[in-house]
Amino acid sequence: MYKSKLYLMIIIMLTSHVEAADIMDVYNRSLNFNNDLKIITNDQKISQEVYSQTSSNIFPEVSITANTQEINVNKYTGTGTQKDYSTESASLTITQPLLRLYFFDELNKAESIVKKSKINLEEFKKDLIIKSAELYFNLINAKNSVAAGEVKLDSMLIKYESAKKLFDNGYISDIELNKYKNNYEMTMVEKQILVNEFDMVKQDVYIFTGREILDIHNLNHTIEIPLLTYDANSLISKALVSLDSIKSALLDVNISRDEMKSNKSKHYPTIDLNATYDYSDTSSGSRLGKQTRESNTIGLTINIPIYQGGFQKSKVTESRYKYKNAKINLDHLRRTVRKEILDNINNHNLLKSLVIVKRDRYDDVNQDYLTISHGADIGLYTDVEIKDAEYNLMVAKNDLIKSTLDLLLVDLNLKKYSSNLSVENIQTINRMLVW
């Protein structure tokens, strides 16, 4: 019996260890199982293949054609004799492109696409850091809300049970009793809503990582959070140069420009060097008997585009509009980044003040709770007042934690704009978590 209980405890401990997770667990699992990351990684590999396909256009094309056939002569009219015969032939053709003016533009375009795909991959990995923290923070807030809902439900139950006793003794009317009953039932619904919201957040994590988390850490609300200060002008100047999305938009401009130049170059002639080797063997049956023939040819092919029904001209016009749109998108992105940085800095400054206020509020409510708890020991306060004080304390604590998590999340976003975002940032936050 003792061994069975011991084995059960070990299984429970191992299971809880597997299912419990911190921010780093969420992030590391997303690196292996996030589907969006897999798609972007494949896109990066596709861009490399496109570059290989483009660069291969400058290499010679070599083809071998072999043919064998047997001729059955059923009727022949003419001089001499003609019998059934067979023919075997082979041909080797080599084509070496010598002049393709659009080749270098296409190669530059393919190279820019590879660079863009690498930047997009690195940017998405940085976004995984922020997204991992955001989802984990949502889990913390949702779980804390459920815990507060449970305390509130206990408080409403105590009030309802007390109201029933008062009603039985004739101290309150049935209308007042129904009010307590409705409050209790409404609180039950509110708690179920909070549980459902917690489940929804857990499903978001499941989509993100492919794993459902059953247990999480909470933020140590007593820890001192570093209240950093950011300079807007300095951050904007740095972001407009080093931000991955800006780099990607710049490459879009290069890609569309090279595409336009390539389409223009396709109006010009192309030159190819051609070389062929032919071999044929006709065995018997012909009037001249068995024949074997070998021949070699070498020459230049010049192709001069004259008229294509306006197709290439339309392609040039299309690519010119794409080039204009790429520059417009770059300008719009720069404006958007500037606005986002200013919004985040303003929000960061506001949240710093809010955290200080929420901490003071928590300290006051905590002092009230301690006073009521001590007073309850000597009969000064009722169970209802103790539960209300406990609920108020939990709400104040949850508000402080939520404001602190919001501040940490905005701080991560600002570090992204300054190119200082790294895994070490969420490792630092991990050290602020407790059971």
Side-chain angles (χ1 to χ4, degrees), residues 74-137:
N74 298 319
K75 182 178 180 181
Y76 173 75
T77 303
T79 59
T81 60
Q82 184 72 41
K83 299 179 180 179
D84 298 346
Y85 64 95
S86 61
T87 300
E88 295 180 354
S89 62
S91 176
L92 174 65
T93 302
I94 301 176
T95 302
Q96 173 63 59
L98 295 181
L99 179 62
R100 296 282 194 279
L101 292 179
Y102 58 83
F103 169 76
F104 299 101
D105 298 321
E106 289 290 332
L107 192 63
N108 290 336
K109 173 185 171 183
E111 185 177 1
S112 295
I113 291 175
V114 172
K115 291 179 181 178
K116 179 185 174 182
S117 65
K118 290 181 179 179
I119 290 174
N120 290 343
L121 180 59
E122 291 303 317
E123 181 183 23
F124 189 79
K125 288 183 178 179
K126 293 177 183 178
D127 289 339
L128 286 181
I129 296 175
I130 298 177
K131 190 64 176 179
S132 298
E134 180 182 2
L135 287 174
Y136 202 87
F137 293 170

Side-chain angles (χ1 to χ4, degrees), residues 124-364:
F124 189 79
K125 288 183 178 179
K126 293 177 183 178
D127 289 339
L128 286 181
I129 296 175
I130 298 177
K131 190 64 176 179
S132 298
E134 180 182 2
L135 287 174
Y136 202 87
F137 293 170
N138 291 342
L139 283 171
I140 291 175
N141 290 327
K143 184 177 181 180
N144 288 342
S145 296
V146 171
E150 291 174 350
V151 174
K152 183 178 180 181
L153 184 62
D154 291 341
S155 175
M156 291 298 156
L157 178 60
I158 293 175
K159 293 178 181 179
Y160 179 45
E161 293 294 338
S162 299
K164 287 195 292 184
K165 293 179 181 179
L166 292 173
F167 176 76
D168 292 338
N169 294 324
Y171 292 108
I172 61 174
S173 65
D174 57 344
I175 297 177
E176 293 176 295
L177 177 63
N178 287 332
K179 182 184 71 172
Y180 284 104
K181 178 183 178 183
N182 291 337
N183 289 339
Y184 172 67
E185 292 176 347
M186 181 60 67
T187 305
M188 289 183 62
V189 175
E190 291 174 354
K191 181 196 170 185
Q192 187 58 49
I193 292 174
L194 294 174
V195 172
N196 292 343
E197 291 175 350
F198 187 31
D199 289 337
M200 290 175 62
V201 176
K202 288 194 289 185
Q203 291 306 311
D204 290 338
V205 175
Y206 175 76
I207 293 174
F208 186 70
T209 64
R211 171 188 179 187
E212 185 175 355
I213 296 178
L214 300 181
D215 200 1
I216 60 172
H217 304 273
N218 204 344
L219 180 71
N220 183 1
H221 62 284
T222 62
I223 194 170
E224 290 292 332
I225 304 296
L227 302 179
L228 304 177
T229 302
Y230 293 92
D231 180 69
N233 293 329
S234 175
L235 198 57
I236 290 172
S237 299
K238 190 169 185 179
L240 294 181
V241 175
S242 60
L243 191 65
D244 288 333
S245 58
I246 295 291
K247 292 179 181 178
S248 180
L250 283 168
L251 286 172
D252 281 334
V253 174
N254 295 339
I255 291 169
S256 58
R257 183 183 62 240
D258 289 330
E259 182 179 358
M260 181 177 62
K261 292 168 64 177
S262 173
N263 286 326
K264 289 181 178 179
S265 298
K266 289 178 181 178
H267 283 298
Y268 300 118
T270 60
I271 301 176
D272 295 330
L273 174 65
N274 301 305
T276 61
Y277 167 78
D278 294 304
Y279 171 83
S280 64
D281 182 4
T282 304
S283 60
S284 69
S286 67
R287 290 183 297 145
L288 301 178
K290 181 178 181 180
Q291 298 181 43
T292 301
R293 184 175 67 86
E294 294 184 43
S295 63
N296 301 303
T297 61
I298 187 169
L300 290 175
T301 300
I302 301 177
N303 180 32
I304 303 176
I306 296 178
Y307 179 69
Q308 296 174 313
F311 174 81
Q312 199 57 40
K313 180 180 179 181
S314 178
K315 291 291 291 183
V316 173
T317 304
E318 177 190 355
S319 59
R320 184 180 293 114
Y321 285 124
K322 288 182 178 179
Y323 178 52
K324 290 181 179 180
N325 284 345
K327 292 195 292 185
I328 292 172
N329 288 334
L330 175 60
D331 180 67
H332 180 72
L333 180 61
R334 285 171 173 163
R335 299 180 190 182
T336 303
V337 167
R338 184 179 185 277
K339 177 183 181 299
E340 289 176 352
I341 290 175
L342 293 175
D343 289 345
N344 276 279
I345 288 179
N346 291 335
N347 194 21
H348 189 266
N349 293 333
L350 177 63
L351 286 170
K352 285 193 296 184
S353 301
L354 190 60
V355 166
I356 294 174
V357 172
K358 294 290 186 180
R359 184 177 291 121
D360 292 339
R361 169 65 178 166
Y362 170 77
D363 292 338
D364 292 340

